Amino acid sequence: MSNIQMNHNETSLKLKRYMHALASRGYFNGAILVAQHGRLLLNEGYGMANIEHDVPNSRNTKFRIGSLTKAFTAMAILQLQEQGKLNVHDYIGQYLEDYPNGHLISLHHLLSHSSGIPDYPGFPGYWEKTQRLYSTLEETIQMIKDKPLEFTPGEEHRYCSSSYILLSAIIEKVSGISYGEYIKERICRPLHLENTGIEDCRTFVKDLASGYSVCKEIIHTEYVDMTLHLGAGSMYSTVEELYLWDRALYTDTLVSKDSLKILFDQYTTYCGSYGWVVDEQNINNQPRKRIGHFGSMNGFWSDFNRYVNDDLVIIVLSNFDLTPVQRISQCLAEIALGGELQELATTNPIHINESIMKQLEGIYEYGDITEQGQYFERNMKDALVQLIHMDVPKISIGAFYKVFQEYGINPNSTIIVTYEDCKLYLFMRKNHGAWFKYEIYPVSDQATSITCVAKDIDERVVFNIKPSGGVRMAHFDVYGNDTIAYKTQ
């Protein structure tokens, strides 16, 4: 056996051990593919694709990939440019005749998140109503078009899915076929992507995972009608077919090398451009060029990273929306590029007197507030009672914001701890500002502190109870960030 093969086998084993450690603790649910120099190092599914029917995830499970769709949309635009049917520097008024400010916004502005068009998932009523309803492309554009620009096109960069809805319409007008048909015939078929496509929530998609969230326990995520998202986020795929996509991006199978340079040569802002973020990531104390993007859709997270100078690709797809896919991707990259990771500590729950656990319950605030005496005069006990008795459906649709507003609770600087049915829960903002309520359990009880770990994510919380009865919390997340908060009452 050659040294190269031995190194390959050793790296593969390390990757498998890392993912097994996460999955065995309930910290990962989805599928992973890692490959370097054309060799598969890891290609496995973990956890459940469908919990209700005991269907496990596998390498062939299909996942919604959210904003990874944008790279396919950008590829379609560059193909049409090579065919002479459009130019990325054309103004969109040439294709969408009655679109406001169409003479100021170019296709390049849409592709590079610099159009100034507001982002439709942030519109009032989106979470409660809009996302749940069928929408034609024309209806989605109508929802977007009358909103004023947030800045002059080209002067700023601000992440915007609305722009990729407009690009979907331009693709349809220029090509003469639907967006879904174009992606299928001009991108998926040439690459033999038979398990990748556009979801419309009506056509049956075999082996598509169900999306899950958490509110005390694992729950179904809120329904989203995928017709709304089209070229901004409506696609599904598998880890294996995204690997075929990665391989194709090193070739001129879909577009010329000159067009690939448009995609990948220039570093981008954090928003990305043409469906990709191009930057440097520090891996094992060495900067590595990374071309990637992450995606989200209710109950799903995805992360796709190509370390092109190392010919390394890491694809992480999850059907549990608390999953820190970007952190997992980075850890996999560190292992694949020769680094060593500290093994996850083994923890066991311990029993703590119920009166002590109840003392930890409360509304905690962080930021400029440093000690208990500085809080506004608010009856936080009443607010806490309402939040504890709020049922899962109401929490899921965001009804707790009404309580926040009534009692002056700032969602940007608050963590809530509840003790219900002999279990302790954190209720706090996490991915993209979404709130999650998830279980934590004690693993250490010292003289002045109680340490807890989370059940569904690799996090740690340390509570310090002062002689006066005040409680200080230190929350340590999976990305290495720590937040210090103080109980209000």
Side-chain angles (χ1 to χ4, degrees), residues 297-452:
M297 191 55 63
N298 300 12
F300 293 85
W301 279 94
S302 55
D303 203 36
F304 186 109
N305 288 296
R306 310 174 65 231
Y307 299 90
V308 290
N309 294 336
D310 303 283
D311 194 11
L312 170 68
V313 62
I314 295 173
I315 303 165
V316 180
L317 304 180
S318 175
N319 58 323
F320 179 50
D321 64 5
L322 191 62
T323 305
V325 291
Q326 291 167 296
R327 175 57 184 161
I328 292 171
S329 290
Q330 181 165 352
C331 289
L332 292 169
E334 290 174 8
I335 295 170
L337 293 170
E340 298 286 344
L341 293 181
Q342 184 177 352
E343 291 189 11
L344 289 176
T346 300
T347 60
N348 295 300
I350 63 172
H351 175 75
I352 291 181
N353 187 281
E354 183 172 345
S355 63
I356 301 297
M357 297 286 274
K358 287 287 291 183
Q359 196 172 351
L360 305 180
E361 184 176 68
I363 296 175
Y364 292 71
E365 297 192 354
Y366 58 90
D368 294 336
I369 299 172
T370 56
E371 291 295 341
Q372 261 189 287
Q374 300 178 34
Y375 295 112
F376 297 109
E377 290 297 324
R378 293 166 287 175
N379 191 343
M380 290 301 186
K381 291 182 180 179
D382 287 350
L384 185 62
V385 168
Q386 290 191 42
L387 293 169
I388 289 173
H389 287 94
M390 188 172 290
D391 61 24
V392 169
K394 287 183 179 179
I395 292 174
S396 297
I397 64 168
F400 57 89
Y401 281 113
K402 293 182 179 179
V403 177
F404 286 5
Q405 185 175 15
E406 180 182 353
Y407 288 90
I409 297 171
N410 184 351
N412 299 316
S413 60
T414 299
I415 300 174
I416 297 165
V417 178
T418 66
Y419 184 67
E420 306 171 50
D421 301 321
C422 300
K423 293 180 180 179
L424 206 60
Y425 297 96
L426 273 189
F427 185 36
M428 64 181 295
R429 283 183 56 163
K430 300 190 75 62
N431 303 337
H432 286 274
W435 280 73
F436 294 87
K437 187 174 186 177
Y438 55 103
E439 184 182 349
I440 59 175
Y441 58 86
V443 295
S444 173
D445 183 8
Q446 303 297 322
T448 59
S449 67
I450 295 172
T451 300
C452 298

Side-chain angles (χ1 to χ4, degrees), residues 245-347:
W245 171 235
D246 162 72
R247 293 291 87 190
L249 295 173
Y250 286 102
T251 74
D252 59 0
T253 302
L254 296 175
V255 291
S256 68
K257 295 290 186 180
D258 286 340
S259 288
L260 291 176
K261 288 180 179 179
I262 295 174
L263 292 176
F264 304 135
D265 272 15
Q266 299 296 318
Y267 283 13
T268 70
T269 67
Y270 74 96
C271 296
S273 186
Y274 290 70
W276 298 98
V277 175
V278 184
D279 62 8
E280 281 190 348
Q281 186 177 34
N282 195 315
I283 302 291
N284 302 333
N285 297 315
Q286 183 176 340
R288 311 272 184 169
K289 183 176 181 180
R290 176 184 61 168
I291 299 171
H293 210 286
F294 71 91
S296 66
M297 191 55 63
N298 300 12
F300 293 85
W301 279 94
S302 55
D303 203 36
F304 186 109
N305 288 296
R306 310 174 65 231
Y307 299 90
V308 290
N309 294 336
D310 303 283
D311 194 11
L312 170 68
V313 62
I314 295 173
I315 303 165
V316 180
L317 304 180
S318 175
N319 58 323
F320 179 50
D321 64 5
L322 191 62
T323 305
V325 291
Q326 291 167 296
R327 175 57 184 161
I328 292 171
S329 290
Q330 181 165 352
C331 289
L332 292 169
E334 290 174 8
I335 295 170
L337 293 170
E340 298 286 344
L341 293 181
Q342 184 177 352
E343 291 189 11
L344 289 176
T346 300
T347 60

Side-chain angles (χ1 to χ4, degrees), residues 116-155:
I117 297 171
D119 195 24
Y120 68 90
F123 291 176
Y126 171 83
W127 185 256
E128 299 86 351
K129 182 178 179 180
T130 305
Q131 68 166 345
R132 305 166 195 271
L133 302 177
Y134 172 80
S135 182
T136 66
L137 181 55
E138 292 75 17
E139 288 170 339
T140 307
I141 291 175
Q142 191 63 40
M143 173 179 65
I144 297 167
K145 67 185 297 184
D146 293 330
K147 301 290 190 298
L149 294 180
E150 296 181 330
F151 55 86
T152 301
E155 290 193 356

